[in-house]
Amino acid sequence: MTLRSIGFNSAVLALFALVTSLILAITNDMTFERIAESERKAAERALLEIIPLERHDNDLLMDVHPVPEQYWAMLGLKKGGNIHIARDQGDPVAAIIPAVTQDGYSGAISMIIGINFDGTVAGVRVVEHRETPGLGDKIDLKKSDWILGFNGKSLLNPQQSDWKVKKEGGDFDQFTGATITPRAVVNQILKSLQYFENDRERLLTISAANAALEMEQAAQ
Amino acid sequence: MSETQTTEIASSDAQASEISIAEIIKNGLWNNNPALVQLLGLCPLLAVTGSVVNALGLGLATLMVLIGSNTIVSLIRNHVSDAVRLPAFVVIIAAFVTCAELLMKAYTYELYQILGIFIPLIVTNCAILGRAEAFASKHHVGYAALDGLMMGLGFLLVLVMLGAIRELFGHGTLFASMQLLFGPDASNWVVQPFGDNYSFLIAILPPGAFLVTGLLIAGKNTIDAALKRRADANKERPVKGAKRIRTTGHIS
Amino acid sequence: MAFKQVTSPHAHSAQNTAKVMQLVLLATVPGLIALTWQFGWGSFINIALASVTAVSCEAAIMRMRGRSVSFYLRDYSAVVTAVLLGLALPPLAPWWIVVVGTVFSIVVAKQLYGGLGYNPFNPAMIGYVVLLISFPIQMTTWITPLALLPLGTVHPGLIESLQIVFSGYTPADGVTGATPLDTFKHSSGLLADQIYAREPLFNQAMLAGAGWEWVNLGFLLGGLILLSQRIFTWHGPVGMLAALTLMSLIFWDGGSSSSPGSPLMHLFSGATMMGAFFILTDPVSSAVSNRGRLVFGALIGVLVYVIRAWGNYPDAVAFAVLLANFAAPFIDNYTLPRTYGHVDRRRATEKEDQS
């Protein structure tokens, strides 16, 4: 008797599992493509904010190159990261470089820094941070447009000695009540620019190779 | 002939459950509100109500799951034995939550990213399993669906109210980033009644969720107490003056 | 012949709540004088503003609750909360900072829990924390201490201070600056000696930071007066100061670049002394027994150090006190004193008749 009821109950549960997995399978199938599309768009959005579509014509998500291990320390990366290169009709436009600084007020600040191949900053976005709300979180574009102040800066503009916050005699604004966070961001951007200066030639070769590959694929 | 029979059955079913439609509506929205009275599902309630759009997103997802699970549970209520009832309910709820998650991922991806873990966590919202167990498994499918709708609405309304209060007092905005849910046209719905620079961070930070929830519950209790006082005042008052009281015979 | 029936204890005390509160108010005077001498009229205005707000809020709530307004105002507890909050807030803070903080202290932290005697948390510290996390900019802008003012300038006078507080115009840049704890925390990468040599905040000071050491000495003096009047026992303050000293000695490491600061700095900077003698001694929200208060104080001392050294905020007395308030009932549970006539201490959760 007991055995029979166990068997019956198992059958009922199995039926449920079957029906629900079927429903899930159908939903998954219906939404699969849209989800992939949404995910791609979301990943691309930050990159496109720095280098808009008018400035390049390649797929930024496809053009991925790992950061060489000798530069990890310079960019503050612990597990490495990927550089995206933007091209316009085969000519290299800019590179988007991941960087992390540990010198923030609380924990790591990770950002992506777009640098044009002429050495100027195309744009910076903070991707993740845990700075104090109301003080240090103004590095986030959602809270303040301070981060846009880096656009167009380079290793020569301002002078390297002026890559500091104003409180320390440099060229960049700090926030009222917070010096540490902007200082950390300024320093890391400076370091990333220096990295780019060192690695520029190699990135150009890679870009040229990829451009050739693209041309070939397009021809086929 | 057969028509009258079915209506008879339906009415007898309603009688057996001893609950009216008006009562279900009133219970879900007010008397037995899942958030303010049963205090169920407080984790998402406190965690995601920093803005109206977040609250609305999670509230809608919960509402959908609640209606769906209540309906299905009611439909199968006579075919599942007690031994496997709970596992079966959990399977149903989990399936609906996963569906909701996939749909949100497909159509409101950014909101999905903001709400993050709290969408899959709808599974653990006690309000849902609670309604399945306490109501849907005992009532006719129409009533069960209505109960799901009303309980879900009650939860959604509290979420949105919390989100609105916290957003308004914390950021000084209302209906910000509604485009995450309603498409690009909604991006200019935002209202800023206190000007650009207003901010009162505690309302947005976790303590604010507790404070505002507490105040909402207090507000509901105050209204209830006032209603009760008025009802008491309207009751028939005993007539003044001497009354003759029968002291002999049977009183039954 | 009928006797008046009175429950024990049959001993009488000359102190009632109003007298105790008045004494506490008096004991804050040395600290207030030090604050006013070193940082100008700001604290004075804070206290006045907070007191007016607190008394109005208390009266309004008492009226709403249908209690006697004059009876509850006469115990001075609202004024004490207001004065403590006013002392803790940065001088010359905008008026609405003071008002919002005081309203939170009195209405939310005190009256919503049931009024004096029922509040699980220290009301003044709740007000302070609400302000600190909501308005970090205003709450971390401190006036430059007297010794560090640029040559030829003085703190704004009373009239000008009032204008600053009420009109919202901010004083010139040289007049505000970071606190010693803040400065020390922000100068990572330098040896402690280098920081002390470089920052005028330290090299113009005797112990622990210009201005701040005087304020702490003032509160220490006031606290000792209260202690001599037996307003509270020594256990809480000693527990906190001892724990703070111990922690800062253990982690001082001679002043390397990652040192969280010397014991002297931690003892005589920030809100240490005010916290030790005026905040954690609040009889309502602290532990009850003497042993319990020792533990309660020590917990605050440890937490203050932990948050100062490795946390997100430069000072931590308010956070530490609130966290310890949470723990107070738990501490009480394990530190119940021996009842007269009983051999062993009982735990609060034990059943009475187990013999």
Side-chain angles (χ1 to χ4, degrees):
Chain A
M1 184 64 208
T2 329
L3 219 63
R4 215 163 140 202
S5 93
I6 289 179
F8 176 71
N9 286 338
S10 319
V12 169
L13 264 192
L15 189 70
F16 265 106
L18 207 68
V19 172
T20 45
S21 13
L22 197 70
I23 297 172
L24 283 186
I26 294 169
T27 321
N28 188 38
D29 199 50
M30 271 162 42
T31 53
F32 179 76
E33 274 172 30
R34 236 196 125 111
I35 290 176
E37 172 74 16
S38 303
E39 273 172 345
R40 220 180 63 85
K41 262 193 197 152
E44 216 176 18
R45 184 170 303 121
L47 301 178
L48 287 182
E49 261 180 42
I50 294 179
I51 303 168
L53 273 175
E54 299 91 70
R55 292 193 54 206
H56 71 101
D57 59 2
N58 62 326
D59 187 347
L60 284 178
L61 287 178
M62 299 302 292
D63 239 287
V64 191
H65 315 282
V67 178
E69 201 160 343
Q70 80 246 39
Y71 292 118
W72 284 12
M74 204 166 178
L75 293 174
L77 304 169
K78 284 198 178 124
K79 292 184 201 147
N82 286 322
I83 297 174
H84 303 270
I85 298 180
R87 275 187 305 277
D88 194 22
Q89 301 185 339
D91 297 330
V93 175
I96 298 179
I97 297 160
V100 178
T101 171
Q102 301 290 341
D103 300 334
Y105 207 87
S106 54
I109 302 172
S110 65
M111 23 188 184
I112 48 175
I113 300 162
I115 303 175
N116 297 321
F117 273 92
D118 63 3
T120 56
V121 173
V124 185
R125 291 293 179 278
V126 171
V127 184
E128 208 180 327
H129 73 90
R130 288 192 289 132
E131 299 304 300
T132 321
L135 285 178
D137 66 349
K138 295 202 181 84
I139 50 171
D140 199 334
L141 188 61
K142 275 182 229 141
K143 303 280 154 93
S144 149
D145 52 11
W146 177 80
I147 201 86
L148 299 179
F150 289 100
N151 293 0
K153 301 284 192 230
S154 68
L155 278 180
L156 302 171
N157 167 36
Q159 297 262 311
Q160 191 153 341
S161 55
D162 287 339
W163 269 88
K164 290 177 192 154
V165 291
K166 278 193 178 138
K167 200 172 182 179
E168 291 168 350
D171 228 34
F172 296 96
D173 283 325
Q174 65 266 3
F175 317 134
T176 336
T179 322
I180 293 198
T181 317
R183 184 169 68 196
V185 173
V186 169
N187 282 343
Q188 190 53 52
I189 293 176
L190 175 65
K191 273 195 225 159
S192 308
L193 281 170
Q194 286 162 345
Y195 151 77
F196 184 75
E197 184 83 354
N198 291 342
D199 206 24
R200 186 166 168 271
E201 293 308 320
R202 198 185 63 86
L203 289 175
L204 277 175
T205 353
I206 292 178
S207 173
N210 272 27
L213 205 70
E214 254 174 39
M215 293 279 273
E216 217 171 280
Q217 275 169 357
Q220 278 174 5
Chain B
M1 174 63 196
S2 66
E3 218 180 303
T4 49
Q5 233 172 11
T6 46
T7 45
E8 257 176 44
I9 290 169
S11 67
S12 73
D13 203 2
Q15 256 174 6
S17 55
E18 284 171 20
I19 193 157
S20 69
I21 290 178
E23 213 168 324
I24 295 178
I25 295 176
K26 223 171 142 192
N27 271 343
L29 294 185
W30 187 262
N31 284 348
N32 201 15
N33 186 296
L36 292 186
V37 180
Q38 303 179 54
L39 299 182
L40 292 176
L42 283 189
C43 164
L45 186 83
L46 298 171
V48 305
T49 51
S51 68
V52 175
V53 65
N54 291 4
L56 203 60
L58 193 88
L60 285 174
T62 313
L63 175 74
M64 270 166 42
V65 173
L66 203 49
I67 297 176
S69 73
N70 258 16
T71 314
I72 303 288
V73 163
S74 172
L75 279 175
I76 59 146
R77 70 187 192 281
N78 295 326
H79 309 287
V80 189
S81 67
D82 276 357
V84 289
R85 205 181 65 228
L86 279 179
F89 291 176
V90 171
V91 169
I92 291 168
I93 296 170
F96 274 109
V97 171
T98 315
C99 278
E101 188 187 351
L102 286 173
L103 287 173
M104 287 194 77
K105 218 170 165 181
Y107 293 96
T108 56
Y109 188 77
E110 268 179 276
L111 191 62
Y112 165 82
Q113 277 189 316
I114 294 171
L115 296 179
I117 186 71
F118 292 102
I119 298 175
L121 274 184
I122 295 176
V123 171
T124 63
N125 187 335
C126 313
I128 296 172
L129 191 58
R131 286 331 280 175
E133 175 72 7
F135 193 93
S137 66
K138 293 172 188 148
H139 290 90
H140 199 265
V141 61
Y143 289 108
L146 183 69
D147 180 73
L149 174 69
M150 286 306 147
M151 284 287 163
L153 265 184
F155 192 67
L156 172 80
L157 287 177
V158 174
L159 274 178
V160 170
M161 218 154 122
L162 257 179
I165 295 174
R166 289 179 65 193
E167 190 183 335
L168 186 64
F169 286 101
H171 274 322
T173 62
L174 206 53
F175 309 121
S177 355
M178 286 303 251
Q179 70 270 22
L180 298 183
L181 206 54
F182 296 103
D185 288 345
S187 59
N188 52 6
W189 288 6
V190 54
V191 191
Q192 267 185 315
F194 304 133
D196 264 348
N197 287 323
Y198 176 91
S199 114
F200 185 41
L201 282 172
I202 192 163
I204 296 296
L205 295 171
F210 286 94
L211 275 172
V212 179
T213 314
L215 290 176
L216 281 184
I217 295 173
K220 181 187 180 290
N221 289 349
T222 316
I223 295 174
D224 278 343
L227 288 178
K228 190 163 180 289
R229 255 201 313 278
R230 196 186 299 166
D232 286 348
N234 287 341
K235 267 189 198 156
E236 278 181 53
R237 295 217 183 86
V239 186
K240 274 186 185 166
K243 263 159 292 195
R244 186 172 291 240
I245 298 166
R246 196 172 68 151
T247 51
T248 53
H250 292 289
I251 302 170
S252 57
Chain C
M1 189 171 154
F3 291 101
K4 193 178 167 195
Q5 290 190 343
V6 187
T7 53
S8 65
H10 300 287
H12 285 270
S13 158
Q15 311 278 23
N16 58 23
T17 309
K19 280 230 181 77
V20 170
M21 293 292 173
Q22 280 168 335
L23 261 174
V24 172
L25 286 179
L26 266 181
T28 60
V29 170
L32 175 61
I33 292 176
L35 269 169
T36 312
W37 168 40
Q38 289 293 327
F39 297 100
W41 288 102
S43 298
F44 222 73
I45 302 171
N46 281 351
I47 288 178
L49 202 53
S51 302
V52 173
T53 318
V55 170
S56 336
C57 286
E58 182 106 338
I61 296 271
M62 279 309 165
R63 177 161 278 233
M64 272 172 68
R65 294 175 63 191
R67 307 286 173 91
S68 155
V69 172
S70 61
F71 177 83
Y72 282 97
L73 283 187
R74 236 179 278 147
D75 69 12
Y76 289 98
S77 63
V79 181
V80 168
T81 299
V83 168
L84 293 179
L85 182 63
L87 289 169
L89 292 177
L92 297 187
W95 63 270
W96 49 269
I97 286 269
V98 185
V99 171
V100 168
T102 316
V103 169
F104 248 88
S105 294
I106 297 294
V107 176
V108 177
K110 186 177 170 194
Q111 294 296 350
L112 282 191
Y113 283 99
L116 182 67
Y118 296 96
N119 46 302
F121 305 105
N122 186 309
M125 289 301 102
I126 291 262
Y128 185 84
V129 164
V130 165
L131 292 175
L132 183 60
I133 61 176
S134 296
F135 309 108
I137 292 175
Q138 287 85 349
M139 288 297 285
T140 48
T141 310
W142 267 85
I143 302 296
T144 311
L146 188 65
L148 263 60
L149 280 178
L151 215 62
T153 53
V154 284
H155 283 123
L158 187 55
I159 304 294
E160 200 190 338
S161 300
L162 282 169
Q163 277 172 349
I164 293 172
V165 169
F166 284 98
S167 71
Y169 114 83
T170 39
D173 228 19
V175 187
T176 59
T179 64
L181 286 171
D182 216 14
T183 310
F184 198 93
K185 196 171 172 145
H186 285 200
S187 310
S188 54
L190 290 177
L191 298 176
D193 285 343
Q194 291 172 319
I195 302 174
Y196 273 58
R198 196 182 74 167
E199 295 290 340
L201 209 46
F202 290 108
N203 61 33
Q204 303 275 333
M206 324 166 291
L207 296 169
W212 288 83
E213 52 201 23
W214 284 111
V215 174
N216 273 280
L217 287 171
F219 284 120
L220 176 61
L221 178 66
L224 292 177
I225 295 173
L226 288 181
L227 202 55
S228 71
Q229 293 294 310
R230 306 199 175 183
I231 299 299
F232 47 76
T233 62
W234 55 268
H235 302 82
V238 167
M240 167 175 166
L241 296 178
L244 185 60
T245 315
L246 195 69
M247 288 293 286
S248 46
L249 269 177
I250 293 173
F251 292 101
W252 162 231
D253 75 10
S256 78
S257 57
S258 59
S259 165
S262 73
L264 261 185
M265 184 184 84
H266 281 286
L267 280 178
F268 289 99
S269 218
T272 309
M273 288 300 169
M274 183 179 166
F277 289 100
F278 289 88
I279 305 295
L280 71 81
T281 50
D282 169 21
V284 180
S285 54
S286 84
V288 179
S289 67
N290 286 343
R291 271 197 319 149
R293 284 184 182 160
L294 207 55
V295 177
F296 179 79
L299 177 65
I300 292 180
V302 170
L303 282 172
V304 165
Y305 188 79
V306 167
I307 302 177
R308 275 184 186 176
W310 302 292
N312 224 345
Y313 288 91
D315 202 359
V317 172
F319 290 115
V321 167
L322 292 183
L323 286 170
N325 287 163
F326 266 115
F330 181 72
I331 295 171
D332 281 341
N333 187 25
Y334 286 94
T335 55
L336 222 62
R338 185 176 65 88
T339 319
Y340 181 74
H342 289 249
V343 184
D344 282 332
R345 294 191 169 98
R346 286 194 305 115
R347 279 214 212 128
T349 46
E350 266 170 36
K351 292 266 161 47
E352 290 245 2
D353 46 336
Q354 282 193 331
S355 53

